[in-house]
Amino acid sequence: MKTFNKILIDIKGKIGYLTINQPKALNALDSEVLQELNEALTEIQNNADIQVVIVTGAGEKAFVAGANIKEMSQKTPIEGMTFSELGNHVFSKLSNLKQPTIAAVNGFALGGGSELALACDIRIASETMKIGQPEVALGIIPGFGGTQRLSRLVGVAKAKELIFTGKNIKADEAEKIGLVNKVVAPEELMTEAETLANQILKNAPFAVQQSKVVIDKGLELPLDHALTLEADTFGLCFATEDQTEGMSAFIEKRSSKFKGQ
Ligand code: DAK
């Protein structure tokens, strides 16, 4: 796997670790970070050895403190547009990644940082996490999907409260409103994310990946169409060796050995 300047990619077993590695700037997202994320996500998508991805930030203080305000403040309108196009492309790529993604949110997750966590499938937070969408204080609105993903996750009223006030909330409140799945002590964060990843890894990879597609795409469809998508994809699973293996293993009272085929 290629090495990068501002992000780290590591693979252990079937887990890919994607770390934003700019701790001095609280892992703020500048154009270079976004470009590297873009490349890294393509590599991850095409790497059959990686079956779950954990996204985190380097250091103890921040997951990601947002888009890089210092860089953004210098942009011309055209550069702003390019930045926006790249950012939207990267966040959609993360959200549509075929592998399930877990954000291990280890501190400040503000603006683009909150949106990075929202673009992942599951969020595990450290007790030290503070999450929010402070963009309106900078004269902008959330631009990496926050208005849409936050509303879908926590409901319109809570999303409006968070976005209109720009306030940060702590981990326990984020858990209460369903913004994060679970809160753990900082030293347990990575172990918790890995435990979850390993639970996912016990299952048939194609079935997990297709569940993700059907949940995400289905939410954009009328219920009848979404249920048809589910039925079609359910049928498709019967074309896989892993479906035969999973059901045979149950009948033969043994554990399954999935091959991802
Ligand atoms: N950008 C650049 N540098 C940042 C940064 C950021 N977002 N956040 C922190 N830093 C830098 C600080 O400037 C400081 O650098 P030095 O001064 O040491 O060089 C270093 O990180 C440590 O930060 P602090 O000294 O401020 O640390 P504190 O503990 O005092 O405060 C903090 C931590 C997280 C509360 C504070 O740093 C802070 O408020 N940061 C900004 C948080 C924020 O407003 N984030 C939202 C950014 S706006 C778009 C799509 C999306 C977006 C934009 C456009 N398009 C589609 C075009 C997204 C926008 C955002 O995310």
Side-chain angles (χ1 to χ4, degrees):
M1 190 63 83
K2 189 180 162 184
T3 54
F4 295 94
N5 258 345
K6 295 192 169 178
I7 65 171
L8 303 170
I9 304 194
D10 196 12
I11 305 174
K12 286 186 212 146
K14 293 175 177 169
I15 305 177
Y17 297 79
L18 187 53
T19 307
I20 316 300
N21 189 26
Q22 289 291 286
K24 283 192 187 143
L26 304 189
N27 301 317
L29 304 172
D30 60 23
S31 307
E32 194 180 348
V33 174
L34 289 177
Q35 262 149 14
E36 291 188 356
L37 278 174
N38 190 27
E39 269 189 69
L41 289 169
T42 301
E43 291 206 24
I44 290 172
Q45 170 86 9
N46 296 328
N47 188 327
D49 294 336
I50 301 178
Q51 286 176 15
V52 179
V53 179
I54 296 179
V55 179
T56 195
E60 287 169 6
K61 198 166 163 183
F63 175 68
V64 165
N68 192 308
I69 301 169
K70 292 171 189 164
E71 187 199 53
M72 239 182 340
S73 68
Q74 302 301 315
K75 286 197 183 303
T76 64
I78 301 288
E79 287 167 347
M81 194 187 284
T82 309
F83 183 66
S84 168
E85 284 165 359
L86 175 63
N88 284 328
H89 178 71
V90 170
F91 277 59
S92 296
K93 204 182 226 184
L94 173 62
S95 173
N96 293 326
L97 204 66
K98 70 177 177 197
Q99 296 93 338
T101 50
I102 301 169
V105 191
N106 55 314
F108 287 111
L110 304 178
S114 162
E115 291 167 304
L116 187 71
L118 286 167
C120 293
D121 297 311
I122 296 169
R123 284 148 293 281
I124 306 294
S126 147
E127 285 161 353
T128 59
M129 180 193 78
K130 284 192 180 144
I131 192 162
Q133 298 286 162
E135 286 87 347
V136 292
L138 296 166
I140 56 176
I141 69 166
F144 290 148
T147 58
Q148 302 311 307
R149 292 199 182 96
L150 187 61
S151 318
R152 282 163 169 76
L153 192 62
V154 302
V156 169
K158 268 291 165 199
K160 284 180 176 169
E161 179 188 333
L162 289 172
I163 292 171
F164 294 176
T165 62
K167 69 182 177 186
N168 301 340
I169 57 169
K170 292 185 183 163
D172 55 348
E173 190 180 345
E175 186 182 22
K176 212 160 56 188
I177 63 172
L179 177 43
V180 300
N181 297 61
K182 188 167 182 181
V183 179
V184 295
E187 62 277 11
E188 288 166 16
L189 180 63
M190 205 36 83
T191 318
E192 186 63 34
E194 286 166 344
T195 301
L196 185 59
N198 284 318
Q199 286 168 347
I200 296 171
L201 286 169
K202 286 190 185 143
N203 300 314
F206 182 77
V208 171
Q209 289 167 14
Q210 290 305 309
S211 309
K212 171 170 172 165
V213 172
V214 174
I215 292 169
D216 289 343
K217 298 298 169 208
L219 279 172
E220 292 164 15
L221 297 171
L223 183 60
D224 271 2
H225 295 198
L227 291 173
T228 302
L229 176 66
E230 184 186 80
D232 289 350
T233 312
F234 183 87
L236 184 62
C237 293
F238 284 77
T240 66
E241 286 179 25
D242 283 350
Q243 174 270 327
T244 310
E245 167 61 13
M247 293 193 181
S248 305
F250 173 79
I251 292 163
E252 292 160 19
K253 298 187 188 300
R254 59 175 175 82
S255 28
S256 341
K257 290 198 183 89
F258 292 120
K259 292 189 196 147
Q261 311 216 322

